[in-house]
Structures are given as structure tokens and as C-alpha cells.
Amino acid sequence: MRVAVTGGGGFLGSHLCEALLRRGDSVVCLDNFSTGEPRNIAHLLPNPAFELIHADVSVQTEVAGRVDAVAHLASPASPPDYLRQPLETLAVGSRGTENALRLALRHRARFILASTSEVYGDPLVHPQDEDYWGNVNSVGPRSVYDEAKRFAEAISVAYRRTHGVNVGIARIFNTYGPRMRPHDGRVVSSFITQALTGEPLTIYGDGKQTRSFCYVDDLVRGLVALLDSSEAGPFNLGNPVERTVTELAEMVLGLTGSLSEIQYHPLPVDDPVRRRPVISRARDALGWWPEVDIEEGLRRTSDWFASRPADLSAGAAAIRGGQEDGMPPPRRYAGAVADRPRSVPAPA
């Protein structure tokens, strides 16, 4: 199978490209590296089954030759990124999604959309199943991402109903693992970065707000299962084990042996208080459920961060004093992708 992966240079996208190549598929990665890292896919470039196209899918999505499936993952996904790039986030969720759908339509290809648990907003129903319509502030600071993904779901369903495109929708809950950027503002990457560099772990709110953390390998297995099916969804993909943010901080401190302190700050606007997926639909229809427990996943992720001390140090400076979902964008640090040439480095 030949699969076009938009956003293939990002955290999730690069892991998906790897998984598809590993099983013998051909992959066309489309990315403009506005938030992705060229080095995420540098090791894939020698593989003749892998092709990289530098492209902004909000402008154009063209792939020569056969396309059997399209996986649309392109979008800023962390709060600092979409708060810094609000118009680009809306563009890739709207025009970018339609361009990817048109690519699938032209090739009669399977199309999967990487949506998000953010479509549920700050949920009034707990836990969240796919029939819940959400509680989203359409004019709040997070709305550029929330509404972009809600629109992406709507237009995907419209293309299925109007043009018969074979669409599948995944609603992705908090995912973590190697290749997260230390400065991306997500809670796992921030806690690990702060713990390994001796910085205080910053918690916003009282720390009792919950998240459900899924290791990246598990999440990618779910995306591949959806890609291989003809199921429409939407499907929640995430770990149904709920943890408080304070519990996560204490786990990171224990795993890293860090002596960093924990600091508490006011909760950001529209930050969800509770988040846990119901995954029975994915379990029944796709045969999918997460397998990596959080202790093992955090250990792998921490080891990966620790192996990159220069990135860790620069990232710690960028996020100093702020980390949790919805915080203002951290200062751009010297190693940030937007400050580097767009060339792809040779494999390390």
C-alpha cells in the first residue's frame, strides 16, 4: 500500500511513517516543518519506499503516482504552537483537510483524520464517549484548535456522504513518547524536561485535574488499525486510565530521581478539568487497546530526553515558568525548528 501522510515530520506523523514502512508499505510524507522536526524523519530518507515532499497542505496537496490511503495528521497540536499560529491552525484544519480529502477522492483512497479529544472541550460528561457533542468555547483562546478539528470532522463526514470518500476519524487523547519537543508546552514533555534539568515542575490549578496518557506506540497501532479498516468512527484513541496532573509530576520525579520541587500556579482559561476516553468502540471494531503502562512509557520517554542534553537545556530555558495546556507560547529557543534552515539533516 502507498500511503500519503500529511504532517509526517511531526511527533505522531514520524512514528506513523516508521510503522507503515516497517510493515512494507510505501510512504509519501508531506510537511512544511512549521512545527515538525526534519530530523524526525532523517533516518527514513535512505529508504527507497519513503518520499519527502516539502509542502504546506493548506495551499496544495499533490502526490504523483498511486495513492492508496491518506492519513491527515498535519496541524499544530500543542497549545504554544496553535496559540502562536492561530490562522495557520485554522487554515490546516479547514483548507488543509479539504485538500487532503480531495487527494483521497482523486485516487479513491482510504482517508483517516487525526482529530482530537479537544473536540469535547471542557467536558460536562465524564468519561467521554464518541456520542458526546462537547462543551467548547468557540471564541476562547483554545478555539482555533478546537474548532479547526471540529470543522475537519464535519467536512470529512460531508465528503463521505456527498462523494463517497472512505473516511475514518480518530479522536486522539493525550499521547506522549520519544520525539516530543522539550519546549512544546505539553505536560509530559515539560515535566520530564524540568525534572532532568533541576527546574521546578510547574502545575497550573490545584493539580487535581486529570488526563489519560497514551504511549505513542500504542496510539500509532490504533491509527494503523483504523487505516486498514473501512470503519468510519469517530473512534476515541487513548488510554482510559485516568491520572491527576500531580500524580504525573510525582511519577516523573520518582522515575528520574530528580529533586525538583513542584510549584502551583492559576489554571488557564478553558483548560479541561477532566479528560478520560471511553474506548469500547475502538476495542470492538478495531481490536485495539493500549498495552504500554505509564511507568514503562515514561521511562522510555525520559531516557530519550536524557540522551539529548543540548535540546533538553535549550528547551528548559524556553518553558521556564510555564508548561500546562493552554499557557501562553513559551519563548522560541535557539534550536526551534522555525529558526533553522528547512534542509533535512543527515541521519545521526
Side-chain angles (χ1 to χ4, degrees):
M1 183 161 65
R2 188 166 186 250
V3 185
V5 180
T6 74
F11 163 51
L12 286 181
S14 62
H15 282 280
L16 178 60
C17 289
E18 263 187 347
L20 294 171
L21 290 169
R22 194 180 304 124
R23 71 175 194 169
D25 291 335
S26 297
V27 173
V28 181
C29 167
L30 300 97
D31 208 310
N32 68 348
F33 298 104
S34 64
T35 60
E37 293 277 1
R39 61 184 171 179
N40 285 346
I41 47 85
H43 64 293
L44 303 179
L45 293 175
N47 189 331
F50 181 78
E51 178 184 352
L52 171 63
I53 299 176
H54 287 257
D56 181 350
V57 298
S58 301
V59 178
Q60 188 172 349
T61 308
E62 294 293 341
V63 176
R66 189 184 85 252
V67 175
D68 300 303
V70 177
H72 182 43
L73 278 67
S75 177
S78 71
D81 285 334
Y82 60 68
L83 291 173
R84 190 178 64 246
Q85 302 181 71
L87 298 179
E88 293 86 346
T89 302
L90 288 164
V92 76
S94 55
R95 294 192 296 273
T97 302
E98 184 160 23
N99 286 339
L101 283 161
R102 286 173 175 168
L103 176 66
L105 177 62
R106 288 195 298 272
H107 292 270
R108 299 183 180 180
R110 171 70 164 161
F111 176 90
I112 64 167
L113 171 69
S115 186
T116 173
S117 60
E118 297 296 335
V119 300
Y120 299 125
D122 188 4
L124 303 177
V125 170
H126 190 80
Q128 297 82 54
D129 65 22
E130 295 88 347
D131 293 328
Y132 178 51
W133 292 357
N135 176 45
V136 177
N137 178 0
S138 63
V139 295
R142 303 168 66 100
S143 65
V144 294
Y145 184 64
D146 301 356
E147 298 293 0
K149 289 297 188 179
R150 288 165 70 93
F151 178 88
E153 289 194 12
I155 195 170
S156 297
V157 170
Y159 264 72
R160 184 178 73 227
R161 291 171 177 161
T162 304
H163 299 298
V165 176
N166 184 8
V167 164
I169 297 172
R171 290 177 178 164
I172 298 171
F173 283 66
N174 293 63
T175 302
Y176 70 99
R179 297 192 197 137
M180 295 183 81
R181 295 167 299 153
H183 67 293
D184 71 5
R186 291 183 172 107
V187 64
V188 171
S189 55
S190 295
F191 280 174
I192 290 175
T193 297
Q194 290 167 333
L196 291 176
T197 57
E199 295 280 342
L201 273 63
T202 45
I203 292 178
Y204 288 81
D206 60 9
K208 295 179 182 178
Q209 65 269 38
T210 66
R211 297 292 185 270
S212 302
F213 300 101
C214 187
Y215 189 65
V216 64
D217 289 358
D218 283 334
L219 192 283
V220 167
R221 284 193 301 103
L223 291 177
V224 172
L226 180 59
L227 189 73
D228 287 345
S229 77
S230 59
E231 297 285 345
F235 291 99
N236 287 339
L237 296 183
N239 194 317
V241 179
E242 191 175 4
R243 308 273 180 176
T244 69
V245 172
T246 294
E247 286 175 336
L248 177 70
E250 291 170 347
M251 290 179 67
V252 169
L253 291 175
L255 284 166
T256 60
S258 174
L259 299 178
S260 294
E261 65 176 343
I262 296 177
Q263 294 182 349
Y264 292 85
H265 300 276
L267 191 69
V269 175
D270 295 336
D271 191 58
V273 175
R274 301 191 73 184
R275 187 62 63 74
R276 176 162 68 93
V278 175
I279 63 167
S280 54
R281 184 180 293 183
R283 183 184 289 266
D284 294 343
L286 304 177
W288 176 86
W289 59 89
E291 298 175 352
V292 179
D293 65 54
I294 192 167
E295 290 84 2
E296 174 63 17
L298 288 175
R299 184 192 62 77
R300 295 180 193 177
T301 307
S302 178
D303 288 349
W304 186 86
F305 272 63
S307 71
R308 289 155 175 78
D311 288 350
L312 201 62
S313 177
I319 64 172
R320 188 165 290 132
Q323 63 79 21
E324 176 56 13
D325 296 350
M327 288 305 294
R331 296 179 300 277
R332 183 172 291 167
Y333 75 106
V337 103
D339 297 326
R340 294 200 300 271
R342 290 293 188 254
S343 59
V344 178

